[in-house]
Amino acid sequence: MGTRATIFLPIQRQTALFVNKTRVLYVCDACGGRSLKWAGQCPDCDAWNTLVETRLPDRSSPRQTAKLADGNSVHSLAELEGRSEPRFGTGLGELDRVLGGGLVSGSVTLIGGDPGIGKSTLLLQAAASLSASRPVLYISGEESLEQVGLRARRLGVGERPLQLAAETCVERMLEIADKFKPAVLVVDSIQTMFTEILQSAPGAVAQLRESTGLLVRFAKHSGTAIFLVGHVTKEGAIAGPRVLEHMVDTVLYFENDAGSRYRVIRAVKNRFGAANELGVFAMTESGLKEVKNPSAIFLSRHATPVSGSAVTVIREGSRPMLIEVQALVDESHLANPRRVAVGLDPNRLSMLLAVLHRHGGVAMFDRDVFVNVVGGLRVNETAADLPILLAALSSFRDRPLPNDLVLFGEVGLAGEIRPVYNGEERLREAAKHGFKRAIVPKGNTSRKGGVDGIQITQVNRLQEALDAI
Ligand code: TYD
Ligand code: MG
């Protein structure tokens, strides 16, 4: 196609824009990409027939200007020193924990999770609890008000002064919010919302992006804290473009192990606190209950020691947690033996088995190796290296590790065991749960003699760890 056309078109558009005060753009329904002219294929994501003609208000109109702070004034860092974001509790300690210690005024939090996992339940409980102290508005685009009311009664919060509305148009929603001036606004879910600016259906990427944009702007200039519920795709990401995650302040994922009644809420992005923070809930007949001591639920205490099981302490966010790693090593009848890792990175498992072969002299190339983290947790920490290795070895030799042993440590390619951070805190958590022995990297305990009630073996090399058990 000639470049001449592409040079001329924008100029024509600009003249039109000057007259109408609106811009005509073609917005892709799949990726949200914008083009000045229509094409059969989106120039950004290469999808076919996804460009939709859209009239957007002119960017220079004041309604569309994002205002993050008062005017265009400039401040020195020192001036801002004393200003801290006001936080308030949601009534659910585990939710406050993942939010970084409470909800921040003017923040926008996106909560993603599979259907039926309990997003609406969680937010209804939090909203009802918050409504005791401040105005809270719950907007449902998915369920009727009767359904929400029934659920609230079942959760035992039917008497709370929570305000509800069933609405799917963002402009009308903001009108209601303008009148009611809530301190907290819950939008369930962002995929059912649409803005009148765009013609595409709710849930389309362009709609998600514009609707979220309007809500973010509202939150920033009104100081309302907003919760958005987001659906996830089959791949487990929040439906819509990644841009949704960029626009909001905090992204939380609500997850669980299939069939388990425990729910884990995880911060993957947080502008007001630590990412990777975990909160744990149990789903009961009367809603979600906080699990204050999650270590207890991720351990399957065996009456007698079993082979292939190792207990470790991971640290998610700001708290240590005991978990069990299980391995099964079995004779393989396949040309390429299987390496299956559930809750762990499979590449890491292959790497660890290679280290075990090279530096420990144990070959598993003719074995299938399965590794699983109990309780449906996902472990991304390198502290789980040593327990994974020793669980695999224990299954391979069919020799159980002691019941009261806890392990952690990163394993390097040279066969060295490297320290992990917050070692003492992990050991204290293990001691609290009755573990008597620990194998940890050298340098993970202070010279003062470690932690009361737990006998610590420090190791520097893989071979030393193998000798120690
Ligand atoms: P819900 O909050 O509707 O999920 P989401 O909004 O994420 O789609 O949760 C619905 C599930 O939770 C449903 O399968 C029933 C269960 N549940 C309970 O077990 N106990 C309860 O008190 C409530 C309200 C729901
Ligand atoms: Mg729901």
Side-chain angles (χ1 to χ4, degrees):
M1 198 179 284
T3 41
R4 193 163 300 161
T6 38
I7 294 167
F8 273 105
L9 253 171
I11 299 170
Q12 285 168 351
R13 290 283 178 224
Q14 273 167 25
T15 352
L17 197 154
F18 196 70
V19 180
N20 299 342
K21 282 283 176 198
T22 56
R23 292 181 292 159
V24 178
L25 282 179
Y26 296 89
V27 179
C28 172
D29 257 356
C31 74
R34 296 168 175 201
S35 324
L36 287 166
K37 55 180 178 149
W38 189 85
Q41 188 179 26
C42 169
D44 292 323
C45 70
D46 294 342
W48 288 94
N49 291 325
T50 50
L51 292 188
V52 182
E53 181 177 315
T54 306
R55 273 167 208 283
L56 288 181
D58 180 10
R59 239 194 231 116
S60 59
S61 75
R63 210 173 69 80
Q64 286 288 311
T65 319
K67 252 197 190 165
L68 286 179
D70 29 337
N72 296 326
S73 50
V74 176
H75 300 275
S76 75
L77 194 53
E79 268 180 279
L80 303 174
E81 178 90 15
R83 296 195 202 172
S84 66
E85 63 270 3
R87 283 181 191 267
F88 44 94
T90 59
L92 296 168
E94 293 292 298
L95 181 60
D96 289 345
R97 167 191 287 283
V98 287
L99 288 171
L103 195 55
V104 178
S105 297
S107 66
V108 181
T109 307
L110 180 65
I111 299 190
D114 290 332
I117 194 148
K119 302 179 293 294
S120 305
T121 307
L122 178 76
L123 289 180
L124 188 58
Q125 280 181 256
S129 156
L130 278 163
S131 69
S133 55
R134 38 178 59 79
V136 181
L137 179 60
Y138 185 104
I139 301 207
S140 176
E142 297 202 333
E143 292 166 81
S144 67
L145 292 185
E146 287 70 31
Q147 280 174 300
V148 180
L150 272 177
R151 184 194 303 236
R153 231 162 296 146
R154 203 143 49 80
L155 293 170
V157 295
E159 309 291 298
R160 294 296 174 92
L162 177 63
Q163 301 294 316
L164 303 169
E167 186 55 79
T168 51
C169 170
V170 177
E171 280 81 8
R172 279 204 294 277
M173 196 163 94
L174 292 182
E175 249 167 59
I176 301 174
D178 246 347
K179 222 175 288 158
F180 181 63
K181 304 223 179 325
V184 181
L185 174 69
V186 177
V187 178
D188 188 1
S189 65
I190 189 67
Q191 273 86 2
T192 55
M193 300 298 155
F194 70 94
T195 153
E196 285 164 343
I197 305 173
L198 301 178
Q199 272 101 51
S200 45
V205 170
Q207 279 287 3
L208 283 173
R209 195 153 88 161
E210 285 308 319
S211 303
T212 308
L214 287 171
L215 288 166
V216 169
R217 258 168 256 150
F218 175 76
K220 298 302 168 200
H221 77 75
S222 70
T224 305
I226 299 187
F227 277 113
L228 302 176
V229 171
H231 291 182
V232 296
T233 60
K234 282 203 198 76
E235 290 77 40
I238 291 176
R242 255 335 236 296
V243 70
L244 217 58
E245 299 195 5
H246 294 299
M247 289 165 82
V248 300
D249 298 308
T250 305
V251 180
L252 307 178
Y253 274 93
F254 209 26
E255 314 165 325
N256 86 323
D257 191 18
S260 148
R261 68 192 191 94
Y262 294 108
R263 307 280 190 271
V264 173
I265 188 163
R266 183 192 292 276
V268 294
K269 163 184 172 178
N270 194 351
R271 288 188 182 148
F272 306 111
N276 276 332
E277 191 76 68
L278 276 190
V280 184
F281 290 94
M283 181 62 94
T284 68
E285 314 72 58
S286 52
L288 291 159
K289 293 270 181 308
E290 298 172 50
V291 177
K292 294 254 166 59
N293 181 6
S295 285
I297 63 171
F298 295 115
L299 288 181
S300 57
R301 300 267 184 167
H302 305 284
T304 52
V306 293
S307 57
S309 158
V311 175
T312 186
V313 196
I314 56 164
R315 197 164 180 285
E316 287 282 0
S318 60
R319 113 178 113 179
M321 206 156 40
L322 284 160
I323 58 159
E324 181 183 337
V325 180
Q326 295 183 333
L328 178 70
V329 178
D330 197 17
E331 208 173 306
S332 179
H333 298 286
L334 302 172
N336 283 320
R338 306 186 63 185
R339 302 276 181 258
V340 180
V342 182
L344 303 161
D345 178 9
N347 292 332
R348 192 115 203 133
L349 174 63
S350 305
M351 194 193 88
L352 291 171
L353 293 177
V355 175
L356 184 61
H357 181 216
R358 180 72 170 69
H359 298 281
V362 182
M364 294 190 190
F365 51 79
D366 55 349
R367 308 287 166 128
D368 288 330
V369 180
F370 304 89
V371 179
N372 174 39
V373 179
V374 172
L377 275 186
R378 266 208 76 78
V379 178
N380 304 315
E381 261 200 325
T382 52
D385 286 355
L386 187 62
I388 295 169
L389 256 188
L390 294 188
L393 186 64
S394 151
S395 173
F396 179 70
R397 298 237 164 99
D398 198 15
R399 289 231 303 269
L401 296 170
N403 239 354
D404 57 357
L405 174 73
V406 65
L407 312 144
F408 57 83
E410 177 178 340
V411 176
L413 285 180
E416 82 277 22
I417 311 286
R418 274 192 241 125
V420 296
Y421 59 96
N422 296 93
E424 295 226 347
E425 194 189 348
R426 293 177 203 245
L427 285 168
R428 274 197 298 276
E429 177 75 8
K432 205 167 79 190
H433 286 86
F435 285 84
K436 298 270 180 284
R437 282 180 270 181
I439 299 181
V440 304
K442 208 166 229 154
N444 250 151
T445 46
S446 64
R447 296 113 250 137
K448 281 175 293 173
V451 176
D452 278 349
I454 194 158
Q455 183 203 331
I456 298 164
T457 312
Q458 301 192 30
V459 293
N460 221 347
R461 312 263 329 146
L462 179 62
Q463 196 56 53
E464 292 170 37
L466 298 183
D467 294 341
I469 52 171

